[in-house]
Amino acid sequence: MSGRAREYDETDVRVRPGRRGSRPRSKRRPDHADASMAMVTAVDRGRWTCAPDADPSKPPVTAMRARELGRTPIVVGDRVDVVGDLTGETDTLARIVRVTERRTLLRRTADDTDAYERVIVANADRLIIVTAVADPVPRSGFVDRCLVAAYAGGLTPVLCLTKSDLADPAPFAAQYADLDLPVVITGRDRPEEGLAALGAEMSGRVCALVGHSGVGKSTLVNALVPEADQSTGRVSGVGKGRHTTTGAIALPLADGWVVDTPGVRSFGLAHVGPDDVVAAFGDLATAIEDCPRGCGHLGPPADPECALDDLVSAGALAPGRLGALRRILVALS
């Protein structure tokens, strides 16, 4: 090396390169001001299908989760901000950079002792509980559990009774008359009438369909969205339906969305407490503030000091409505 000193001016500043390259590291993150809003319509192995709000006529966008989101869960129904290639063309990929706060959340656990919550759909307005009145036989316990999940998650439940051509739906529907629960009846004996009534309940909303396999969820979806071409399955000989939908998927209606969910055999409620359910009833939410701590609101003998009984005594609550609510609460006990 020459003994001559290297000459440089004060603007000559050298930056020590990092171990992974010469670009200086920064903790600043882009604000993605140009991001577009979209709704997640399907999830598949680390890729999310998103429907853009700006132009619903455009093809759906396939997106990955941005690194800054870490392991943030993203489910069908989530409202997200996306950047990147939004053309929806084959082999293009966008990025989800933000997930907005959820308005509602439908969750379940594998059973009542499972601490792991499975999110089914976010931001749905209504939960359509699909139950066949025959083949397979209706199970009020399952409907009750779905009602609990709907109330706790902020969704408005609707009971949809299918296969009315096989049995009279009135006796089963009568169990829920005191809950002010909308009931829609469909079947081959009333194809247009039933579908029109269901469409009216779903108009302008995001609605999730849930029910046992074989009760006709996918058949309803095919009728509501003919181009969806969802597969339908035949009920097995032992009365259990075969699974025909393997993952939740949101499909566009004329003025809303229908979310078809996989058929489930159990609906765990480990994440829900009695207060969560009662709080969903506007006329009862304040009353339970007078209940003793730990009250399950089931009445005597389990909860002899439940304040809901005082409402009945005062004539402020119909006995039938309280009885129906307590039958729902039994699903948690």
Side-chain angles (χ1 to χ4, degrees), residues 24-278:
R25 299 180 63 183
S26 171
K27 292 184 178 180
R28 296 182 60 186
R29 294 290 182 267
D31 59 7
H32 299 297
D34 60 340
S36 298
M37 180 70 73
M39 187 183 88
V40 176
T41 59
V43 182
D44 182 26
R45 294 169 292 184
R47 293 291 184 267
W48 288 262
T49 303
C50 306
D53 285 2
D55 189 353
S57 64
K58 284 188 175 181
V61 174
T62 301
M64 60 181 291
R65 181 169 46 197
R67 179 177 296 180
E68 56 262 36
L69 290 181
R71 298 182 66 84
T72 301
I74 305 174
V75 302
V76 170
D78 267 327
R79 306 285 300 170
V80 297
D81 284 338
V82 291
V83 298
D85 194 325
L86 306 183
T87 62
E89 296 179 358
T90 304
D91 297 329
T92 60
L93 193 62
R95 284 184 299 135
I96 297 174
V97 294
R98 275 187 295 269
V99 182
T100 64
E101 184 178 356
R102 293 161 172 167
R103 296 183 296 104
T104 67
L105 192 61
L106 180 65
R107 301 171 293 170
R108 74 178 181 92
T109 56
D111 54 51
D112 290 344
T113 62
D114 185 7
Y116 178 72
E117 298 178 6
R118 293 159 176 81
V119 178
I120 300 175
V121 62
N123 299 316
D125 301 295
R126 296 203 166 186
L127 177 63
I128 313 296
I129 306 168
V130 184
T131 302
V133 295
D135 190 31
V137 296
R139 293 176 173 82
S140 60
F142 179 80
V143 174
D144 294 347
R145 285 176 167 267
C146 291
L147 289 173
V148 169
Y151 294 140
L155 291 79
T156 299
V158 176
L159 180 59
C160 179
L161 300 179
T162 63
K163 305 184 182 181
S164 60
D165 52 303
L166 300 182
D168 183 5
F172 192 82
Q175 300 179 58
Y176 302 95
D178 293 308
L179 287 176
D180 297 327
L181 176 67
V183 178
V184 175
I185 300 173
T186 67
R188 294 180 179 177
D189 57 333
R190 61 186 85 193
E192 296 182 2
E193 174 189 352
L195 197 61
L198 182 60
E201 292 290 344
M202 302 174 70
S203 178
R205 303 180 174 97
V206 177
C207 299
L209 272 66
V210 67
H212 283 304
S213 296
V215 297
K217 295 192 318 304
S218 293
T219 299
L220 288 175
V221 172
N222 285 341
L224 292 165
V225 192
E227 61 271 22
D229 195 27
Q230 290 288 87
S231 62
T232 57
R234 299 178 61 184
V235 176
S236 65
V238 295
K240 297 286 187 178
R242 295 192 179 105
H243 292 273
T244 59
T245 302
T246 58
I249 180 172
L251 301 165
L253 300 172
D255 58 348
W257 291 87
V258 56
V259 182
D260 192 16
T261 65
V264 295
R265 299 190 186 278
S266 63
F267 211 104
L269 299 170
H271 59 289
V272 181
D275 285 2
D276 298 321
V277 179
V278 181

